[in-house]
């Protein structure tokens, strides 16, 4: 029997001695792996859960310059994040898309609308005019733009631009994991680091396979702790002291069963004075977020969170029926890991900086990545390469671009081939975008392989699930290339199916069995039952 990608990588993890081992495959670990592997460094990347399965799958899905940090006067941070956002927008034109934010301001708000509008102009300037210009709006102007906005308590508003991740945050993270693997990195999900020793200049990291409980050891010269909210906990396990540490702010989003206007995000100042968003996500709407100080990074949604989000949405939106808990399809919940230096007593959550800090201990070749944002990911990857060089890591390969979509000419060729074979006509009429756009955005140059399988057999363009647009050829390719270890890896992270389709509709779908057979072969039934048990609301 042939080995799966994961099984093959697990064997390599034990056999090889790596230049760099990265713990944690959220955005920070994934970009570090991609940037180093593209320079020919021997990299291993492990995560105790799925790739992008923690904080990096609970964000607001925005690549944004941080307009709200203007209020706390963090001009350098805003300028830096705007630059990072522009860079992402240029590098991933199909994935990181400009979108308008239609913002209404309630009467009596702490800042008057004209001043807030001046803020958006400053934001646009700091964004080097890379997006459309902001516009000031009267109450009536807001209503004309979007009748869903309740204007009776509004004094006016404005519209400005930022960017969003078209698919979802964890899919974006996976694209870097995949790039790292393309350049030879050995990546495996569900492998946790459990103990650390350093002998004769080599790190010996004990690991546990969360699927079968097997333990083993990985050897490397340089160790990167990119465990997000668990960076401190993992450093404690290794008895390491750092000058930075994390504090946590819990953030919740609710996915609700309402049809959004895909062309814009609605933004409001919620009852706690913070920015609050109504974000289109595929055919449904994502609402949030909250910002609550917590001391433990293991968090879950509670009734106060639901009440806060639903009541703010009901106050600010003009809905035919108010939103209730019954409208919730799925919930997203995570903590923002916020970096503070050891002595800092700063606890103003809204004002705490969202900058990342990379702490290096040269004598024992150890790196910890604190804080940060998805938006700043390319800088994290580039900084890690520079730091690795100072720790003596050798780069056998010349610098190359380790991120971004393929050249526009490759895309043009894909579009021509897709048109000539009539790809879009094969799509299900319920699809919300042309198949050509979706396949290119999700798979880039690998989408050519899908064209070939559809040429061979048009049945490979069949949609497998009643409520989701994924085709047989996509699921087949995901089974080979995307290390789907549990069904949830595909439904929640490589795709956003479980965010926009209710759990019972997924489980009752007549196509789900074939779906699982393609992904898991003779383990299909076991994996399906595992998903049913793990997502059972009575056991959450
Ligand atoms: C509510 C919310 C909204 C946000 N919105 C935005 C936004 O719109 N735009 C933006 O740019 N940023 C946003 N952020 C911030 C952004 O999501 C985070 O900064 C980023 O995802 C953190 O990535 P990370 O790689 O540091 O951590 P994570 O994504 O948490 O990754 C760390 C990984 O380490 C793994 N791990 C932990 N312990 C071990 C171990 N012992 N062994 C192996 N692996 C281990 C975990 O399983 C995890 O996958 C938001 C955050 C939140 C919470």
């Amino acid at each position: 029997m042939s080995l799966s990608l994961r099984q093959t990588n697990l064997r390599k993890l034990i056999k090889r001695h790596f230049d760099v081992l990265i713990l944690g495959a959220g955005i920070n670990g994934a970009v570090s792996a991609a940037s180093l592997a593209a320079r020919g460094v021997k990299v291993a990347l492990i995560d105790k859960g799925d790739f992008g399965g923690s904080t990096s799958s609970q964000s607001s899905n925005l690549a944004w310059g941080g307009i709200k940090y203007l209020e706390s006067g963090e001009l350098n941070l805003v300028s830096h994040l705007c630059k990072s956002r522009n860079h992402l927008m240029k590098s991933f034109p199909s994935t990181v898309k400009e979108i308008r934010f239609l913002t209404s301001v309630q009467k009596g708000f702490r800042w008057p609308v004209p001043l807030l509008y001046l803020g958006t102009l400053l934001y646009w300037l700091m964004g080097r005019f890379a997006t459309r210009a902001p516009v000031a709006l009267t109450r009536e102007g807001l209503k004309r733009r979007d009748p869903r906005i309740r204007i009776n308590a509004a004094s006016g508003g404005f519209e400005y631009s930022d960017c969003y991740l078209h698919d979802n945050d964890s899919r974006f993270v996976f694209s870097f994991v995949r790039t790292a693997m393309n350049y030879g990195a050995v990546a495996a999900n569900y492998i946790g680091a459990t103990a650390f020793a350093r002998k004769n200049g080599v790190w010996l990291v004990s690991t546990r396979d969360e699927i079968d409980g097997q333990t083993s050891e990985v050897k490397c010269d340089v160790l990167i702790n990119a465990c997000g909210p668990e960076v401190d906990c993992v450093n404690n396990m290794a008895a390491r002291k750092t000058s930075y540490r994390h504090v946590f702010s819990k953030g919740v989003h609710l996915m609700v069963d309402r049809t959004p206007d895909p062309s814009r995000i609605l933004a409001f100042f919620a009852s706690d004075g913070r920015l609050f968003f109504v974000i289109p996500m595929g055919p449904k709407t994502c609402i949030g977020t909250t910002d609550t100080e917590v001391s433990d990074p293991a968090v879950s949604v509670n009734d106060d969170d639901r009440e806060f989000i639903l009541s703010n949405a009901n106050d600010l939106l003009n809905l035919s029926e108010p939103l209730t808990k019954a409208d919730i399809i799925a919930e997203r919940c995570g903590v923002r890991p916020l970096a503070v230096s050891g002595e800092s007593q700063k606890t103003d959550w809204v004002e705490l900086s969202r900058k990342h800090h990379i702490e290096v201990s040269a004598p024992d070749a150890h790196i910890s990545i604190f804080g940060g944002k998805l938006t700043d990911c390319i800088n994290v990857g580039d900084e890690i390469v520079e730091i690795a060089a100072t720790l003596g890591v050798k780069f056998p390969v010349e610098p190359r671009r380790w991120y971004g979509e393929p050249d526009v000419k490759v895309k043009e060729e894909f579009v021509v081939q897709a048109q000539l074979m009539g790809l879009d006509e094969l799509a299900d009429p319920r699809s919300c975008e042309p198949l050509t756009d979706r396949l290119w955005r999700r798979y880039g140059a690998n989408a050519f392989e899908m064209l070939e399988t559809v040429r061979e057999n048009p049945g490979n363009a069949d949609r497998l699930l009643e409520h989701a647009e994924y085709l047989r050829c996509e699921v087949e390719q995901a089974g080979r290339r995307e290390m789907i270890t549990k069904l949830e890896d595909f439904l929640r992270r490589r795709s956003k199916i479980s965010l926009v389709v209710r759990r019972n509709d997924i489980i009752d779908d007549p196509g789900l069995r074939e779906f699982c057979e393609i992904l898991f072969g003779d383990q299909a039934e076991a994996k399906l039952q595992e998903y049913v048990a793990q997502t059972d609301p009575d056991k959450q």
Side-chain angles (χ1 to χ4, degrees), residues 119-173:
T120 61
L121 287 173
L122 175 63
Y123 190 60
W124 185 49
L125 172 90
M126 292 178 119
R128 290 95 175 149
F129 312 112
T131 58
R132 287 165 60 196
V135 181
L137 293 165
T138 60
R139 276 154 45 102
E140 291 67 34
L142 279 173
K143 188 90 199 158
R144 269 197 303 278
R145 282 269 204 294
D146 198 320
R148 285 176 303 167
I149 298 178
R150 181 169 280 179
I151 57 162
N152 36 357
S155 57
F158 49 88
E159 197 174 57
Y160 69 97
S161 283
D162 244 320
C163 292
Y164 75 112
L165 301 174
H166 195 301
D167 281 310
N168 56 351
D169 40 15
S170 42
R171 173 91 209 161
F172 188 59
V173 171

Side-chain angles (χ1 to χ4, degrees), residues 7-19:
Q7 287 166 322
T8 305
N9 282 2
L10 292 185
R11 291 188 175 188
K12 290 180 185 168
L13 270 180
I14 304 166
K15 275 196 196 146
R16 292 187 185 169
H17 181 123
F18 294 93
D19 298 331

Side-chain angles (χ1 to χ4, degrees), residues 23-29 46-50 53-56 58-62 64 191-193 226-230 234 237 251-253 289 334-337 371-375:
L23 310 176
I27 190 67
N28 284 339
I46 58 172
D47 197 295
K48 71 173 183 178
D50 188 23
S54 182
T55 324
S56 302
Q58 309 293 349
S59 80
S60 303
N61 277 307
L62 304 176
W64 66 322
I191 299 291
C227 291
E230 289 170 270
V234 170
M237 272 160 44
V252 173
H253 294 88
T289 171
V335 291
R336 303 169 184 88
K373 301 195 75 67
L374 286 152
T375 310

Side-chain angles (χ1 to χ4, degrees), residues 86 89 99 182 267 299 329 365 391:
N86 293 350
M89 193 166 54
I99 191 164
N182 292 350
V299 287
I329 307 169
L391 297 177

Side-chain angles (χ1 to χ4, degrees), residues 517-528:
E517 277 161 12
I518 294 173
L519 289 175
F520 306 116
D522 56 11
Q523 287 188 18
E525 183 57 27
K527 295 286 180 180
L528 178 53

